Amino acid sequence: MTERKRVVVAMSGGVDSSVAAALLVERGYDVIGMMMKLWSEETITAHNRCCTPDQMHDARRIADKLKIPFYVLDTKEVFRNIIVNFFIDGHRDGVTPNPCMECNRHIRFDFLLKNALALDADYLATGHYARIAQGDDGKFQLRKGLDDAKDQSYVLSVMGQAQLSHTLFPVGEFAKPVVREIAARFGLPTASKKDSQDLCFLGDGDYRRFLREHAPEMMTPGIIVRRDGSVLGEHSGLSNYTIGQRKGLGVTSPEPLYVIDIQTVANTLIVGTADELGSRELIAQRVNWVSGEPPTEPFRAEVKIRYKAKPAPALVEPLPDARMRVTFDEPLRDITPGQGAVVYHGDLCLGGGVITRPAATHN
């Protein structure tokens, strides 16, 4: 390196961010570790998945071992006001929100990135499994991580050119087992640490319990009906259900029934067969195009409708007001309002948006 670049690494106390920091130190960057202190429920602070004293202790130990500065950024208020409220409001509206995408949009690659740049950093680095490249036109590209099983480009599809130009994903070039091997090579105590799977602000991983305590009005019982209006039973509160859910409905039927719509105004849960659930079309809003330039014509692509879903071939049609219509070659059963619809061309992530309510009823 002809010039020593400064990088702030978002450290969580986990193996991925630890290896990201270690690799950047090895490559000669001027590295600063930074951990966000997020909001947690007061009654179970000790069990919060993201910012426990143990997690903070591990992050400090890594920073000390790597001989880099380490800071804690108080993010509680902005996280509570934006992400936690987004999660609660989404369920109030009868959708299944994706708080990880919203966190990347507003917290990690806005609030945290701005704080990193305020320290005269050239980049913010994270432990995400994704890659950044530059095309022949000089524009930054978001590409899938090489480990397809760990790829996180889906939740990073909210990023644009301004964010990608100041971001590094050091572990995106490796498979997870190799990342653990690298951690062991550096002697990092997180080498064998278990990955966290739950939403970071849920103390026990139980979002229904969280909603009962923080938005009890959403747990009002109501009726379960078919499309024709026939009543089958009573639900325990709309927030206990999501589109495509089969288990736990509490109704009997000669054929399997699934949640096909959630009507918050009427406090009604609509169920139907797998054929009724399937749809070939969705509409997405708040669409972000990574290149910064919305396509002008419909085009063929692959689209993921959930983080763990397989990309499905489709026709993507850009619409006014940052929206898009996606028409799949074959019907999909789990198109869920509130989740992301993310567009790919091979391993290139083109962008994505938030699936709106009409998705469940377009055919």
Side-chain angles (χ1 to χ4, degrees), residues 305-316:
I305 57 170
R306 284 179 182 259
Y307 175 51
K308 291 297 185 181
K310 291 183 179 180
L315 180 69
V316 178

Side-chain angles (χ1 to χ4, degrees), residues 286-308:
R286 300 176 69 198
V287 175
N288 170 70
W289 298 104
V290 173
S291 69
E293 297 180 358
T296 56
E297 299 290 338
F299 62 96
R300 297 282 304 171
E302 306 88 47
V303 179
K304 288 180 67 170
I305 57 170
R306 284 179 182 259
Y307 175 51
K308 291 297 185 181

Side-chain angles (χ1 to χ4, degrees), residues 119-362:
L119 292 175
D120 293 326
D122 299 282
Y123 301 104
L124 170 68
T126 73
H128 283 101
Y129 284 82
R131 295 174 295 153
I132 298 172
Q134 274 188 285
D136 295 337
D137 58 0
K139 291 204 169 186
F140 290 91
Q141 301 173 341
L142 175 64
R143 292 187 173 273
K144 292 181 180 179
L146 288 186
D147 187 339
D148 194 57
K150 298 296 293 183
D151 170 56
Q152 293 172 294
S153 59
Y154 176 88
V155 294
L156 297 168
S157 59
V158 297
M159 299 179 71
Q161 294 296 297
Q163 292 78 31
L164 291 172
S165 65
H166 291 288
T167 301
L168 299 175
F169 297 134
V171 305
E173 301 287 341
F174 305 102
K176 183 71 178 209
V178 176
V179 170
R180 292 197 181 277
E181 291 174 5
I182 295 172
R185 173 169 68 84
F186 281 108
L188 303 180
T190 55
S192 58
K193 190 171 183 179
K194 185 179 178 181
D195 292 339
S196 176
Q197 300 293 333
D198 298 317
L199 293 178
C200 63
F201 58 87
L202 298 183
D204 55 4
D206 186 350
Y207 81 90
R208 292 181 175 89
R209 190 271 314 153
F210 177 86
L211 291 172
R212 281 197 303 270
E213 294 184 8
H214 293 270
E217 72 279 5
M218 288 186 283
M219 295 298 175
T220 304
I223 58 173
I224 301 175
V225 303
R226 295 292 298 268
R227 280 285 187 204
D228 61 8
S230 56
V231 178
L232 299 185
E234 184 177 82
H235 66 75
S236 58
L238 294 179
S239 293
N240 290 317
Y241 308 90
T242 185
I243 299 296
Q245 180 175 331
R246 175 184 174 186
K247 295 183 178 180
L249 301 184
V251 296
T252 57
S253 171
E255 55 187 330
L257 295 178
Y258 302 80
V259 176
I260 61 174
D261 199 7
I262 297 172
Q263 297 187 345
T264 54
V265 175
N267 192 29
T268 298
L269 190 71
I270 299 180
V271 298
T273 64
D275 289 341
E276 293 177 87
L277 177 65
S279 176
R280 289 190 60 214
E281 184 178 296
L282 66 79
I283 302 292
Q285 62 184 358
R286 300 176 69 198
V287 175
N288 170 70
W289 298 104
V290 173
S291 69
E293 297 180 358
T296 56
E297 299 290 338
F299 62 96
R300 297 282 304 171
E302 306 88 47
V303 179
K304 288 180 67 170
I305 57 170
R306 284 179 182 259
Y307 175 51
K308 291 297 185 181
K310 291 183 179 180
L315 180 69
V316 178
E317 180 185 355
L319 299 175
D321 303 319
R323 297 178 302 132
M324 68 178 176
R325 177 182 289 109
V326 178
T327 305
F328 294 98
D329 292 359
E330 301 291 338
L332 299 183
R333 285 172 45 173
D334 296 328
I335 298 176
T336 305
Q339 292 292 295
V342 179
V343 183
Y344 291 89
H345 185 269
D347 71 350
L348 179 63
C349 179
L350 302 178
V354 180
I355 300 171
T356 64
R357 176 167 297 281
T361 55
H362 277 70

